[in-house]
């Protein structure tokens, strides 16, 4: 750090979040699983730092939860040289030069080098590969911070050489401690600024992000140059001064896929309340209506299936409607569709049978189609016996004639197992009727539930 950087580090003009950034593990807030005094990981880290040999870590978690702070504390350890390589400013050439310097430093000074890459998910595959040889040889230790799931954005070879530490959003108690520190740094008292209702809104707007909370403290204090307000602020006043809650969402990132996943699983689990909650989050984040509608169509076929064939019709109509009207009115249509699908009887029988059929085809290959089922449109095909022996189903008394349709060797294969739920019960009864069989009243050991009024 040169003279000018040292002066800047001591400046009171820096943002509050930067001025309060912890300098030691004891000062950090949150992540008790990793950083509490009893945490095994912390003890191992402290022992490693004393010896100047720090393993490579990928710090993964939402914004403002302490990833960069922890990386800086680790980098400040004794006998450690740190090379800062922000991903947005770093290319393959720079990384190669950093690794070369680290190798020479290790050979001549016997010092270890930590390469800190903030937003490491922004490095492309080739840039990530530059680090592999130096990590393998021990010339460098990597500290990478990312808000994106490493399994989606980083090379498997890089991940295998690092420990991935998952950080959680800060809890309400963690945020309260940060707010107390922030107001104290601003020569003020939190209770003079925020009522309990105001605090709850303050926390909600911060959304587990410590940096966002401290920025809000700084902005709030600046809104009253003469000091604290006459009365503590309520929730509405807090919102008026520091703005609305902005949900964490990225149409190409984890928040996108996690929220969609939660919506689908809630509908599959027939929980309309949870499904509506996740729909509301997607609506506030302005999810792409066409994408969301496509996922609902897939769910209607995969999870509702023939237990209620109208589910697919409802989902298809939803797709047509929402792509015409867009947000915010699309939310009304989505809500109707989500509630219908969540409350509909469920069956994945057709989906499971299709997957089984794909597996069967992959395993058995292109088995010859029975001659009786082949097209006999031409004289040549007829002379080869195509179509011979085929029996027209409508000639049967019930529109059904028993005959084999599967290739030789698969005659007894059973792929579809209909349930006794919803319309599939009728389908199962019909299949038994045309074959002259007795339909079972139970399916997979599950009895039909009779509802009686009380």
């Amino acid at each position: 750090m040169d003279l000018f950087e040292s002066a800047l580090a001591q400046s009171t003009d820096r943002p509050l979040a930067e001025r309060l950034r912890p300098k030691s593990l004891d000062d950090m807030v949150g992540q008790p699983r990793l950083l509490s005094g009893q945490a095994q990981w912390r003890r191992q880290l402290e022992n490693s730092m004393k010896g100047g040999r720090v393993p490579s870590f990928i710090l993964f978690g939402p914004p403002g939860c302490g990833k960069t702070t922890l990386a800086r504390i680790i980098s400040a350890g004794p006998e450690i040289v740190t090379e800062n390589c922000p991903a947005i400013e770093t290319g393959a050439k720079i990384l190669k030069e950093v690794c070369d310097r680290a190798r020479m430093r290790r050979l001549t000074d016997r010092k270890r080098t930590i390469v800190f890459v903030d937003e490491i998910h922004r490095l492309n595959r080739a840039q990530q590969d530059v680090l592999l040889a130096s990590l393998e040889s021990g010339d460098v230790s990597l500290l990478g911070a990312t808000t994106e799931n490493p399994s989606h954005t980083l090379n498997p070879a890089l991940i295998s050489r690092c420990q991935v530490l998952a950080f959680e959003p800060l809890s309400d108690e963690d945020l309260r401690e940060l707010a107390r520190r922030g107001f104290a740094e601003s020569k003020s008292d939190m209770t003079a600024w925020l009522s309990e209702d105001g605090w709850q809104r303050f926390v909600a707007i911060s959304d587990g992000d410590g940096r966002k909370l401290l920025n809000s403290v700084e902005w709030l204090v600046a809104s009253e140059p003469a000091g604290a307000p006459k009365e503590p602020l309520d929730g509405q006043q807090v919102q008026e001064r520091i703005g609305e809650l902005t949900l964490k969402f990225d149409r190409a990132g984890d928040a996108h896929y996690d929220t969609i996943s939660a919506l689908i699983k809630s509908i599959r689990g027939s929980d309309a309340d949870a499904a509506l909650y996740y729909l509301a989050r997607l609506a506030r984040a302005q999810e792409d209506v066409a994408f969301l509608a496509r996922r609902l169509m897939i769910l209607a076929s995969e999870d509702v299936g023939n237990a209620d064939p109208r589910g697919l019709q409802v989902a298809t109509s939803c797709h047509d409607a929402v792509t015409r009207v867009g947000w915010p009115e699309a939310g009304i249509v989505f809500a109707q569709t989500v509630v219908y699908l969540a409350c509909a009887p469920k069956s994945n029988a057709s989906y499971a049978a299709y997957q089984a059929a794909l597996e069967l085809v992959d395993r058995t290959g292109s088995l010859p189609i029975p001659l009786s089922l082949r097209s006999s449109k031409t004289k040549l095909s007829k002379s080869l016996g195509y179509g011979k022996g085929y029996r027209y189903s409508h000639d049967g008394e019930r529109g059904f004639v028993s005959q084999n349709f599967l290739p030789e060797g698969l005659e007894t294969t059973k792929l579809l197992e209909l349930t006794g739920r919803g319309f599939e019960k009728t389908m199962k009864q019909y299949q038994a009727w045309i074959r002259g069989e007795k339909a079972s009243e139970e399916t997979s050991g599950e009895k039909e539930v009779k509802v009686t009024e009380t």
Side-chain angles (χ1 to χ4, degrees):
M1 181 182 293
D2 61 26
L3 177 63
F4 297 104
E5 289 177 327
S6 178
L8 185 60
Q10 302 300 320
S11 173
T12 57
D13 292 336
R14 293 177 300 150
L16 178 62
E18 190 63 28
R19 299 202 307 272
L20 290 180
R21 188 183 293 278
K23 302 296 191 299
S24 69
L25 295 177
D26 290 332
D27 291 336
M28 287 195 66
V29 172
Q31 315 310 323
R33 180 176 58 84
L34 297 173
L35 302 178
S36 70
Q38 295 75 38
Q40 177 64 30
W41 183 85
R42 172 173 171 167
R43 291 198 293 270
Q44 290 179 293
L45 174 63
E46 290 173 332
N47 290 334
S48 297
M49 291 172 63
K50 290 176 183 176
R53 183 178 180 83
V54 178
S56 294
F57 297 111
I58 301 296
L59 311 177
F60 159 52
C65 63
K67 303 185 301 297
T68 301
T69 296
L70 178 60
R72 291 189 181 184
I73 292 172
I74 294 174
S75 301
E79 302 301 319
I80 293 175
V81 176
T82 302
E83 297 267 12
N84 288 307
C85 301
I88 59 174
E89 303 174 3
T90 302
K93 181 180 178 181
I94 294 176
L95 289 173
K96 181 67 168 60
E97 293 171 351
V98 166
C99 291
D100 289 342
R101 287 198 299 270
R103 180 167 180 77
M104 291 303 300
R105 190 177 294 121
R106 185 184 179 202
L107 292 173
T108 58
D109 300 334
R110 302 297 180 184
K111 288 189 175 181
R112 297 271 297 179
T113 301
I114 287 180
V115 178
F116 175 48
V117 184
D118 203 7
E119 302 295 321
I120 192 172
H121 60 272
R122 296 185 183 276
L123 294 183
N124 62 37
R125 300 283 173 167
Q127 291 167 343
Q128 293 176 37
D129 285 344
V130 172
L131 297 167
L132 295 180
S134 295
L135 287 172
E136 193 71 28
S137 65
D139 292 334
V140 303
S141 294
L142 174 64
L143 282 181
T146 176
T147 57
E148 303 291 336
N149 191 323
S151 62
H152 297 163
T153 56
L154 300 183
N155 294 352
L158 186 64
I159 294 177
S160 72
R161 290 165 171 81
C162 304
Q163 295 183 39
V164 177
L165 302 179
F167 279 48
E168 299 294 333
L170 298 184
S171 68
D172 288 1
E173 286 305 310
D174 297 333
L175 293 174
R176 185 180 290 274
E177 172 59 21
L178 281 183
R180 185 194 64 76
R181 295 182 188 182
F183 280 107
E185 174 71 14
S186 303
K187 305 297 189 294
S188 191
D189 184 359
M190 184 172 71
T191 58
W193 279 92
L194 300 171
S195 66
E196 188 56 34
D197 176 57
W199 166 249
Q200 294 300 327
R201 190 59 191 158
F202 197 72
V203 169
I205 293 173
S206 301
D207 202 19
D209 185 333
R211 184 187 301 108
K212 187 174 184 179
L213 177 132
L214 290 174
N215 288 342
S216 297
V217 169
E218 190 168 30
W219 181 256
L220 200 61
V221 171
S223 69
E224 293 277 355
K230 295 180 180 179
E231 296 290 337
L233 305 177
D234 61 24
Q236 182 62 35
Q237 291 170 319
V238 167
Q239 183 169 306
E240 289 172 354
R241 296 197 184 201
I242 65 176
E244 298 276 356
L245 165 66
T246 302
L247 297 179
K248 298 184 180 78
F249 197 79
D250 182 346
R251 290 188 179 182
D254 282 351
H256 163 79
Y257 292 109
D258 289 347
T259 311
I260 287 289
S261 176
L263 172 67
I264 297 301
K265 289 172 182 173
S266 298
I267 297 174
R268 181 183 296 139
S270 300
D271 190 331
D273 295 310
L276 286 168
Y277 167 76
Y278 291 114
L279 172 64
R281 287 181 57 164
L282 291 165
R284 285 290 185 236
Q286 298 287 284
E287 174 61 84
D288 177 45
V289 293
F291 171 81
L292 179 52
R294 288 196 299 271
R295 291 302 300 267
L296 292 177
M297 287 192 291
I298 295 169
L299 176 139
S301 187
E302 177 183 344
D303 293 301
V304 176
N306 286 318
D308 186 353
R310 291 170 298 183
L312 182 56
Q313 297 174 4
V314 171
T316 303
S317 297
C318 171
H319 182 278
D320 180 55
V322 298
T323 52
R324 288 170 182 260
V325 302
W327 295 114
E329 289 81 1
I332 303 170
V333 183
F334 276 128
Q336 178 186 353
T337 305
V338 162
V339 168
Y340 185 95
L341 295 177
C343 296
K346 307 293 190 298
S347 172
N348 71 340
S350 57
Y351 172 75
Y354 173 61
Q355 296 298 318
L358 290 174
E359 189 277 331
L360 180 62
V361 169
D362 291 340
R363 179 163 45 86
T364 60
S366 301
L367 295 176
I369 294 174
L371 289 177
S372 62
L373 301 183
R374 299 186 190 185
S375 174
S376 57
K377 295 293 184 181
T378 67
K379 289 183 179 181
L380 176 61
S381 60
K382 286 182 179 179
S383 68
L384 294 174
Y386 289 11
K388 185 177 181 180
Y390 171 68
R391 301 172 64 188
Y392 192 50
S393 296
H394 294 285
D395 291 339
E397 181 181 353
R398 298 183 177 182
F400 171 79
V401 175
S402 180
Q403 56 190 314
N404 179 61
F405 292 96
L406 284 166
E408 184 177 352
L410 300 180
E411 293 90 347
T412 60
T413 300
K414 185 71 173 175
L415 297 174
L416 177 64
E417 293 291 344
L418 292 170
T419 71
R421 298 188 288 273
F423 186 69
E424 278 196 3
K425 180 178 181 180
T426 303
M427 296 170 64
K428 186 174 184 179
Q429 291 171 340
Y430 172 75
Q431 288 284 311
W433 175 75
I434 62 174
R435 290 170 171 78
E437 302 168 352
K438 179 180 174 62
S440 172
E441 291 297 325
E442 299 181 9
T443 301
S444 303
E446 296 178 359
K447 296 182 178 180
E448 289 293 308
V449 177
K450 295 183 180 180
V451 180
T452 56
E453 295 183 357
T454 59

